[in-house]
């Protein structure tokens, strides 16, 4: 396996003022978590916390960062309670190309929604989605996509939504890889999550995707508990069932659009501390990485570049 | 010290349907964290995790709950990752009578705000606050209080706000007790927080007070990190300073009113799991306690009643 990753340390202060992230300087070639690879790397795994990473500048930057921030004798030492590391999800921790998994979920949910509201069958964009015409679906404008997200992600109870997502994840398969979406994670990044946690870092997902959606599987897939998933979040409404039991309904009211500037805003809302390390892959992660590196003391910011069409997809730099 | 506390276990299912909490059944007499008390209880502290609690039904209910939920052989066992306990702050963890500490902070900040915006000096409610007339200030209607909160809690950067609160907390003294507000915590509840944490529970504050305000001191005062403080929260806005450094400004835009039904809504937004134990003291905590006890498995909900005018204040039941 070959990986190179660019790193941007705190001292390169001119970076935060730039409009565009120089993505070409941040290169990482990724591979899936294929069980065979785990077997071949087992021998070195005991001593090397990042066995699927090449011994390059990227790996060295990570190891140097972790050693400096966890060594009490180092001037770069970071107290354990301040060791926060944030990760974008789509394209950083798992495959998001050519279409976000959550969008696939929403499109798949449309028939069930139309079943409860038959009047939608003749209304756009639901009519197009029900037609199954992939090209037409891909051409739907953003406003129509928002209608589909609202119809499939809100209106039900929080518990019902969790059950629906779990059921879908168990059955759905990626059309190219013929595997559950929850298996399409990047092994080097999973190793990185574990390595940081083993060194006292609290790992968070900070995703433009739906907070409630990602929380359903984040613990099982990434070892990240629901309370450490920050994402695009809508309001809920407290109410009572006929038997008096209270429940929460997912409302079509946006509280946090956790992308671009929404990422540092979401980090402040949900965590209340500035991360010491942040990892992303797109312009939507720019502000999160800027905000991270602008803090005092040692900071690490990295971008994943997708340039391996054979083992994944090649679509970067944007 | 005498303490009795009522407890309401999950099986008493008729409770959740009631409109009013029968507070008279939930009795706890509280005392401050006076160092002398710590000395007198040191001998038993090694074996008794709740040395300042009387050996009554309240203490027994807590110990039974913790033992049942942490014993793998118990049918009531709760996996460590699901052990979430939420605490109201004002009147539950520290003194909030006769006036919320954060409101004192906001009133104290008015002169500094008027200094930067002199035109406010002649405008109500700022004119009344500047007059120092306590009776007139106490009579200010809620709409005026909201204006004061907005003027003193928003418009500055997140970092500036933290510095201002820290500076104020270091100097401010409670007029009756002549001590810093951060010392006016309830020793039995501090013991309870530690006892739950020692048994794998993640302790959260879920307060109607300002999330950013409580986060400033929660780690030092309660051992609760900022990311485990859920409170009334406003939006922030990401921007850049002249030198290009990014920063967040506190905006006068309410995202979460974390009181009453807002408490379970805030718990879902910020934690994403239903608590197994919840502690409050007022009708503003009713929905949080209902939501907690309505979950499957073992749940514990308790209310603090203030009935000791000599050592604190007597103002319950509401």
């Amino acid at each position: 396996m070959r990986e190179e990753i660019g790193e941007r340390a705190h001292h390169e202060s001119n970076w935060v003022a730039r409009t565009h992230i120089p993505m070409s300087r941040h290169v990482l070639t990724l591979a899936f978590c294929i069980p065979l690879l785990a077997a071949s790397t087992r021998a070195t795994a005991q001593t090397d916390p990042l066995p699927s990473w090449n011994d390059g500048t990227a790996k060295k930057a990570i190891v140097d960062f972790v050693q400096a921030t966890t060594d009490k004798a180092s001037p770069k030492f970071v107290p354990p309670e301040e060791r926060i590391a944030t990760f974008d999800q789509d394209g950083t921790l798992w495959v998001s190309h050519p279409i976000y998994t959550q969008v696939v979920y929403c499109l798949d949910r449309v028939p069930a929604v139309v079943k409860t509201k038959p009047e939608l069958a003749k209304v756009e964009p639901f009519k197009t989605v029900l037609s199954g015409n992939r090209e037409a679906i891909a051409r739907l404008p953003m406003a129509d996509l928002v209608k589909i997200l609202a119809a499939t992600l809100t209106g039900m109870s929080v518990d019902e939504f969790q059950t629906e997502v779990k059921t879908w994840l168990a059955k759905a398969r990626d059309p190219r890889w013929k595997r559950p979406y929850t298996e399409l994670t990047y092994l080097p990044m999973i190793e990185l999550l574990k390595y940081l946690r083993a060194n006292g870092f609290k790992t968070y997902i900070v995703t433009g995707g739906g907070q409630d959606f990602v929380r359903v599987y984040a613990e099982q897939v990434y070892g990240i508990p629901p309370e450490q998933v920050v994402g695009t979040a809508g309001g809920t409404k407290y109410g009572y069932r006929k038997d008096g039991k209270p429940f929460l309904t997912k409302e079509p009211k946006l509280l946090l659009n956790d992308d671009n500037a929404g990422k540092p805003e979401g980090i402040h809302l949900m965590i209340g501390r500035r991360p010491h390390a942040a990892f992303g892959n797109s312009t939507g992660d720019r502000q999160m990485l800027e905000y991270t590196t602008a803090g005092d003391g040692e900071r690490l910011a990295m971008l994943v570049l997708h340039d391996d069409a054979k083992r994944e997809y090649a679509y970067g730099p944007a």
Side-chain angles (χ1 to χ4, degrees), chain A:
Chain A
M1 298 180 68
R2 297 164 301 106
E3 288 84 29
E4 287 176 53
I5 192 164
E7 67 94 20
R8 173 79 38 188
H10 176 52
H11 60 270
E12 297 177 69
S13 59
N14 63 330
W15 180 70
V16 296
R18 289 185 195 166
T19 309
H20 296 291
I21 295 174
M23 293 188 75
S24 59
R25 298 179 60 179
H26 303 266
V27 183
L28 170 62
T29 305
L30 292 157
F32 299 112
C33 289
I34 299 167
L36 276 173
L37 289 173
S40 65
T41 56
R42 196 171 292 156
T44 54
Q46 289 178 348
T47 49
D48 183 354
L50 301 171
S52 76
W53 291 67
N54 276 345
D55 289 322
T57 53
K59 182 172 178 174
K60 187 174 182 307
I62 291 170
V63 173
D64 286 352
F65 169 80
V66 168
Q67 288 179 347
T69 54
T70 57
D71 176 3
K72 275 195 176 174
S74 164
K76 296 173 178 173
F77 178 72
V78 174
E81 65 273 16
E82 290 174 20
R83 293 182 200 155
I84 303 284
T86 55
F87 290 79
D88 169 59
Q89 184 197 223
D90 291 300
T92 299
L93 294 179
W94 80 352
V95 178
S96 67
H97 208 74
I99 182 170
Y100 290 118
T101 303
Q102 190 175 355
V103 174
V104 181
Y105 168 79
C106 291
L107 294 173
D108 282 0
R109 283 294 302 167
V110 166
V113 169
V114 172
K115 209 172 179 181
T116 61
K117 294 178 185 171
E119 67 274 17
L120 293 179
K122 292 176 183 174
V123 180
E124 289 297 354
F126 304 97
K127 198 175 158 186
T128 296
V129 176
L130 290 173
S131 77
N133 183 336
R134 286 193 181 193
E135 286 181 13
I137 293 169
R139 279 197 307 269
L140 286 172
M142 182 55 77
D144 278 346
L145 197 60
V146 169
K147 281 182 197 167
I148 294 166
L149 298 184
T152 52
L153 299 176
T154 69
M156 71 294 288
S157 80
V158 159
D159 293 339
E160 284 162 0
F161 177 73
Q162 286 174 351
T163 304
E164 284 165 8
V165 175
K166 267 184 206 167
T167 306
W168 181 81
L169 285 172
K171 286 184 193 169
R173 295 292 180 272
D174 179 278
R176 176 175 167 196
W177 306 103
K178 320 286 184 206
R179 294 170 67 168
Y181 290 96
T182 47
E183 289 182 14
L184 303 184
T185 57
Y186 303 130
L187 178 59
M189 299 305 283
I190 300 290
E191 290 174 359
L192 178 55
L193 283 170
K194 288 181 184 170
Y195 176 50
L196 288 169
R197 287 198 290 264
N199 283 280
F201 281 84
K202 222 167 174 173
T203 54
Y204 281 81
I205 289 172
V206 177
T207 175
Q211 182 168 280
D212 283 349
F213 185 81
V214 179
R215 278 176 169 176
V216 172
Y217 57 84
E219 190 148 36
Q220 176 214 327
V221 173
Y222 304 116
I224 295 179
E227 61 268 27
Q228 286 166 226
V229 174
V230 179
T232 295
T236 57
K237 194 172 168 60
Y238 189 77
Y240 300 90
R241 296 189 196 284
K242 283 180 186 170
D243 65 1
K245 269 211 170 189
F247 73 107
L248 292 168
T249 303
K250 284 172 68 67
E251 297 275 287
K253 180 193 166 193
L254 187 67
L255 288 187
L256 173 65
N257 185 359
D258 196 48
D259 208 6
N260 302 301
K263 290 208 174 193
E265 292 164 7
I267 286 169
H268 177 71
L269 175 68
M270 305 286 291
I271 310 175
R273 303 192 205 249
R274 196 191 296 254
H276 273 267
F279 304 87
N281 81 305
S282 76
T283 52
D285 301 312
R286 186 169 70 87
Q287 290 88 344
M288 174 170 76
L289 270 59
E290 279 176 352
Y291 183 64
T292 298
T293 55
D296 294 333
E298 193 68 357
R299 311 275 166 168
L300 179 70
M302 285 189 169
L303 284 168
V304 173
L305 178 71
H306 299 267
D307 64 352
D308 187 341
K310 198 176 170 190
R311 293 189 300 171
E312 199 227 2
Y313 293 95
Y315 59 93

